[in-house]
Amino acid sequence: MTHDEQHQEQPEEHGGKRTGPGLRTSAPAGPDRLTEGVQSGEISRVFLAVPDMQGRLKGKILDAPVFVERMRSEAEMCAYILATDLDMTPLGDFDLTGWAQGYGDLGVKADPRSLRMLPHQAGAALVVGDAFHHDGTPVEVAPRHMLRTQLERLSDLGYHVAVGVESEFLLLAGTPEDARDAGYRDLRPAWPHNLDYALGHPPKTADFFRDLHDTLHRASIPVEAIKTEGAPGQVEVTFAYGEAMAACDAHPAFRLIVDDLAQRRGMTPVWMAAPYAGIGSGLHLHLSLWSNNGNAFTYHRHQDLPPAMERAIAGLISAMPHLAPLYAPTPNSYKRYRPHSFAPARHTWGFDNRGCAVRVTGIGEGAHLEVRWPGADANPYLTLAAVCAAIVHGLQDDPELPEPCVGDPYTALAVPVPADLTEALAHFNGSKIAEGALGESVVRHYTRAARAEIAWQRTQVTDAERERGIGRA
């Protein structure tokens, strides 16, 4: 099925119960399934995880009977998992935690609706949790809580969100250890040519795709399609439309599965926005707003856009330039935004135009928006939180709707995307739009994270610099 076809299906809640129009997702295992599995001996371990700022799952592997006994109580994890960089460096100057606060613990409450089996790990199940302070209040900078806050804002306006995720990544030949031993130089993609839309793949790749498809289904992750992309070694996986939090919970579980299956076959997945010069991998979100009357984005060609869709587009074009550190969090993120790359170079929208930042696509009840700003390194919770915040801005604050882009969006007279993370941070830190949507403390937290990324980059000497500087300077 295509995203448009999936979008017309009836929905299921996070736990799999149908609650209204617009959402469809496979149900995770659920607490009853876990209890049964523990009693039968099928499940021996539970991965209790919290999504960190980078969208990775961090947590503990618990004995399954112990987890079942304590499922309604809290576990504890060091607060630095929500205040660190890609290298898990304990960073200072966060309000949440740091050396001055002693790096204490946070409470983690399991969300039983997120429980799913991990078929690639024998005897294992996964549950995603929410972080809480010891006084019982949620940690407002936690990505899952940030998304929930924005979904509640939209709910107060009478809407819920249907989301389909489209995830791209690169597959390299060789294990992560091989790449490290080679100094991350002369890395080879898993296949050497453009196999975009190919149906014939190298046997090793075909076996990986088959196992990935089957494992995702057994993990109740609703995969829609797997395809090879335009760059050597590049893969795109699309997922069926579902409830927003469930869609985001599925993505880091998907990454765990990809990482495991690929490494077992001597391959390495790369989740960078720009893994090589001239190559970009995206994390596109297909979404629409639904009310009790159905899809609020429903329209037919040659008709005016429905008001909710107009307001959503206006909000996205107006607010997303102020929220870039949430969906483009690293210096590498901005190397993906190149002309004629299928990644947006300007803040534009258009009809069925893949060069725009916002693409209007589908017809009738399948009409929706494709948000193309985020790259493969984006955290889906933070990205969707930013998108929802921008849509709320469009619905409440009535920003101007620019004209749709007709023709080449890379030459359009529109605001360019930030050139780098420093420029993006200048639009985020102190932004009234960002602070109004997220709160000053959240903006301050992610500003600190972005500054850590910028500081790291400024100390690095790259292969490209050496290539230019040795024998030429």
Side-chain angles (χ1 to χ4, degrees):
M1 278 188 172
T2 66
H3 273 307
D4 295 344
E5 291 170 324
Q6 291 283 7
H7 208 75
Q8 298 179 53
E9 299 283 347
Q10 293 297 308
E12 299 175 63
E13 193 202 31
H14 199 152
K17 297 179 180 178
R18 297 182 182 275
T19 57
L23 309 180
R24 177 186 175 277
T25 183
S26 297
D32 293 340
R33 173 70 179 85
L34 178 68
T35 302
E36 293 169 2
V38 172
Q39 291 173 345
S40 69
E42 178 188 0
I43 300 173
S44 60
R45 300 171 297 152
V46 175
F47 290 51
L48 176 61
V50 172
D52 69 1
M53 288 195 292
Q54 290 75 29
R56 304 169 298 182
L57 294 178
K58 297 295 180 180
K60 301 177 179 180
I61 303 174
L62 302 175
D63 180 71
V66 172
F67 178 80
V68 170
E69 290 175 8
R70 302 177 183 177
M71 190 158 48
R72 299 189 184 281
S73 62
E74 291 184 6
E76 290 189 337
M77 298 183 193
C78 180
Y80 103 115
I81 62 172
L82 295 175
T84 187
D85 61 9
L86 280 168
D87 297 315
M88 298 300 289
T89 307
L91 301 175
D93 301 327
F94 283 103
D95 295 343
L96 175 65
T97 193
W99 294 113
Q101 300 95 322
Y103 285 106
D105 283 338
L106 297 171
V108 176
K109 292 182 181 179
D111 182 350
R113 296 170 300 174
S114 71
L115 285 163
R116 70 178 73 246
M117 303 302 295
L118 291 178
H120 68 296
Q121 292 277 353
L126 169 70
V127 61
V128 181
D130 289 299
F132 288 83
H133 296 288
H134 291 304
D135 63 2
T137 58
V139 176
E140 62 179 349
V141 300
R144 210 165 182 264
H145 178 72
M146 289 171 60
L147 174 56
R148 184 178 291 111
T149 298
Q150 300 307 319
L151 294 174
E152 289 172 353
R153 295 179 72 203
L154 278 171
S155 179
D156 290 343
L157 296 174
Y159 297 106
H160 58 266
V161 185
V163 178
V165 177
E166 182 181 303
S167 180
E168 296 174 348
F169 61 95
L170 208 67
L171 269 180
L172 298 178
T175 66
E177 291 76 15
D178 294 333
R180 184 184 64 242
D181 292 345
Y184 301 98
R185 300 181 186 91
D186 301 320
L187 303 177
R188 294 183 299 109
W191 54 89
H193 309 296
N194 180 340
L195 293 181
D196 199 15
Y197 286 99
L199 295 179
H201 303 112
K204 189 174 182 179
T205 301
D207 290 345
F208 169 74
F209 286 166
R210 183 192 65 243
D211 286 355
L212 177 60
H213 175 271
D214 293 346
T215 304
L216 291 175
H217 273 288
R218 287 188 289 135
S220 298
I221 297 175
V223 60
E224 176 183 293
I226 300 173
K227 67 179 284 287
T228 41
E229 266 285 341
Q234 194 173 41
V235 182
E236 176 189 276
V237 181
T238 56
F239 301 93
Y241 275 88
E243 184 266 338
M245 190 66 76
C248 290
D249 284 343
H251 190 264
F254 153 71
R255 284 187 50 167
L256 281 180
I257 292 169
V258 169
D259 289 347
D260 187 278
L261 296 184
Q263 290 184 49
R264 290 178 188 274
R265 284 169 173 74
M267 297 186 289
T268 300
V270 180
W271 306 96
M272 295 173 65
Y276 292 98
I279 295 176
S281 294
L283 181 72
H284 301 158
L285 299 182
H286 296 252
L287 63 93
S288 56
L289 299 183
W290 290 71
S291 69
N292 291 334
N293 296 321
N295 183 1
F297 287 179
T298 297
Y299 91 103
H300 296 275
R301 292 188 177 97
H302 310 301
Q303 295 181 355
D304 292 336
L305 292 179
M309 183 182 271
E310 286 191 345
R311 291 295 88 221
I313 296 170
L316 289 164
I317 298 300
S318 172
M320 290 295 272
H322 297 272
L323 302 173
L326 296 185
Y327 59 82
T330 72
N332 181 263
S333 305
Y334 299 84
K335 297 178 182 180
R336 172 175 162 265
Y337 299 134
R338 298 173 297 102
H340 301 121
S341 64
F342 292 103
R346 298 180 180 275
H347 297 294
T348 56
W349 73 279
F351 293 91
D352 200 18
N353 191 327
R354 285 183 168 86
C356 290
V358 179
R359 173 182 171 230
V360 179
T361 185
I363 58 172
E365 289 223 329
H368 63 279
L369 302 179
E370 181 185 11
V371 176
R372 298 178 62 85
W373 279 286
D377 58 352
N379 179 330
Y381 301 92
L382 296 180
T383 297
L384 187 53
V387 167
C388 291
I391 292 174
V392 170
H393 167 63
L395 293 168
Q396 289 187 328
D397 301 329
D398 200 32
E400 180 182 358
L401 176 66
E403 291 296 317
C405 179
V406 178
D408 185 348
Y410 296 100
T411 61
L413 296 177
V415 176
V417 300
D420 52 33
L421 184 54
T422 300
E423 184 178 323
L425 187 57
H427 292 287
F428 177 71
N429 186 29
S431 162
K432 297 303 180 185
I433 289 177
E435 290 179 352
L438 305 170
E440 292 183 15
S441 63
V442 171
V443 172
R444 189 162 57 245
H445 187 89
Y446 284 91
T447 293
R448 173 68 185 95
R451 285 175 175 162
E453 287 290 322
I454 294 167
W456 177 88
Q457 183 197 40
R458 285 174 176 166
T459 64
Q460 303 305 304
V461 178
T462 67
D463 289 348
E465 289 173 307
R466 282 190 286 269
E467 183 179 343
R468 294 188 73 203
I470 297 175
R472 300 188 199 180

